[in-house]
Amino acid sequence: MVMSWAISLIIIVGVRLMVKKPTLIPSAGQAVVENMLGGIRDIMEPIVGKSMIKKTFPLLIALFTFILIQNWSGMLPGVGAFGFYDEHEHLKYWMRPGNADLNMTIALALVSAVFAWTYFVFRYAGLKVLIYDLFGNKADPKEVPKVIYVLLFPIFFMVGMIEVVSILFRPVSLSFRLFGNVFGGENLLANMTSLASWIVPVPFYFLEILIGAVQALVFTLLTAVYIGLICNHGDDEEHAH
């Protein structure tokens, strides 16, 4: 929790100091922030759709930025380095990366894959679209025989039941994927540093920078995909053209 508060403060203060008062000709700090926003927006827009990007972008950019800095926080001096031993002789660190704790990744997964997904789907798609997307017969009755079209109903219903199960497991997959990568990276750095304090750990720090960025992007992309699967049907005709 302490690391999460610190990371949130770093994001707020850092963006404010970099942007300051936005100008038509951006400063170096403003250009960095605008390029990051523009880059993430360009990646997410085809997934969630043009009609949904403005509505979902605050959530997506917040998830990406917060998770990215949380992932990298394990490389800050003092993080995962100091602590105390409990009554079972287990070392408890004073500060650890937030995403190296399963409680944090579960909270992020519940916010993105449950609460936010439910809000966007029911607010901008509706229950009817959701039910059709899960259980509806997607075949065109004009292109398939009537008998086959009728027989497809139970098949699509069973596929919908499988999809419901996958939706329920989304928080599990999201939280454990992020937790496993960050926790594994933290242990890797600790082990390499214990073997040799100089030079040897350096390549692994660069590896953690890459993995931290990839995992933040994967988490955000999956959140966008979950929302776009239901809410992005309005852009189908435009994409076809």
Side-chain angles (χ1 to χ4, degrees):
M1 290 300 296
V2 173
M3 283 301 301
S4 301
W5 295 335
I7 295 302
S8 300
L9 185 62
I10 289 173
I11 294 174
I12 294 171
V13 174
V15 171
R16 294 294 297 177
L17 290 177
M18 293 175 69
V19 177
K20 297 180 180 178
K21 185 178 180 180
T23 57
L24 185 60
I25 301 177
S27 61
Q30 182 181 338
V32 170
V33 174
E34 288 181 353
N35 286 331
M36 185 184 73
L37 292 173
I40 299 299
R41 183 188 175 99
D42 291 341
I43 295 174
M44 300 301 166
E45 185 173 323
I47 300 174
V48 297
K50 290 185 177 180
S51 62
M52 289 296 297
I53 186 62
K54 290 184 179 180
K55 305 174 182 68
T56 59
F57 189 65
L59 168 71
L60 298 176
I61 192 62
L63 285 173
F64 176 78
T65 308
F66 183 79
I67 294 173
L68 178 66
I69 300 180
Q70 281 278 19
N71 291 349
W72 288 350
S73 65
M75 294 178 287
L76 295 175
V79 178
F82 304 102
F84 64 93
Y85 287 94
D86 60 14
E87 63 274 10
H88 302 292
E89 296 300 320
H90 295 152
L91 181 59
K92 302 292 186 179
Y93 292 108
W94 292 112
M95 292 186 297
R96 291 183 61 209
N99 292 335
D101 190 306
L102 189 56
N103 293 289
M104 172 60 72
T105 58
I106 289 176
L108 288 170
L110 290 176
V111 168
S112 59
V114 178
F115 301 123
W117 180 85
T118 302
Y119 168 77
F120 286 119
V121 167
F122 281 90
R123 175 68 175 81
Y124 297 105
L127 181 61
K128 183 178 179 180
V129 173
L130 176 61
I131 293 176
Y132 174 78
D133 193 90
L134 293 176
F135 305 105
N137 192 335
K138 312 304 188 302
D140 190 345
K142 297 179 181 179
E143 297 181 358
V144 297
K146 186 176 182 180
V147 176
I148 296 178
Y149 180 76
V150 173
L151 292 176
L152 285 175
F153 276 99
I155 296 176
F156 277 108
F157 179 80
M158 294 303 297
V159 172
M161 294 302 296
I162 296 173
E163 182 65 21
V164 169
V165 174
S166 71
I167 290 173
L168 295 176
F169 273 90
R170 284 174 183 175
V172 178
S173 61
L174 280 176
S175 58
F176 276 87
R177 181 188 297 107
L178 182 58
F179 165 73
N181 281 277
V182 178
F183 182 75
E186 184 189 30
N187 287 333
L188 176 64
L189 291 180
N191 292 331
M192 291 299 102
T193 305
S194 64
L195 291 176
S197 301
W198 302 96
I199 301 177
V200 174
V202 172
F204 296 95
Y205 275 89
F206 284 104
L207 179 63
E208 279 306 298
I209 292 175
L210 176 61
I211 292 176
V214 169
Q215 288 304 314
L217 184 59
V218 167
F219 193 102
T220 309
L221 279 173
L222 288 175
T223 302
V225 168
Y226 296 154
I227 298 172
L229 284 174
I230 307 297
C231 299
N232 195 15
H233 298 298
D235 295 335
D236 288 345
E237 183 177 350
E238 181 179 345
H239 290 319
H241 290 302

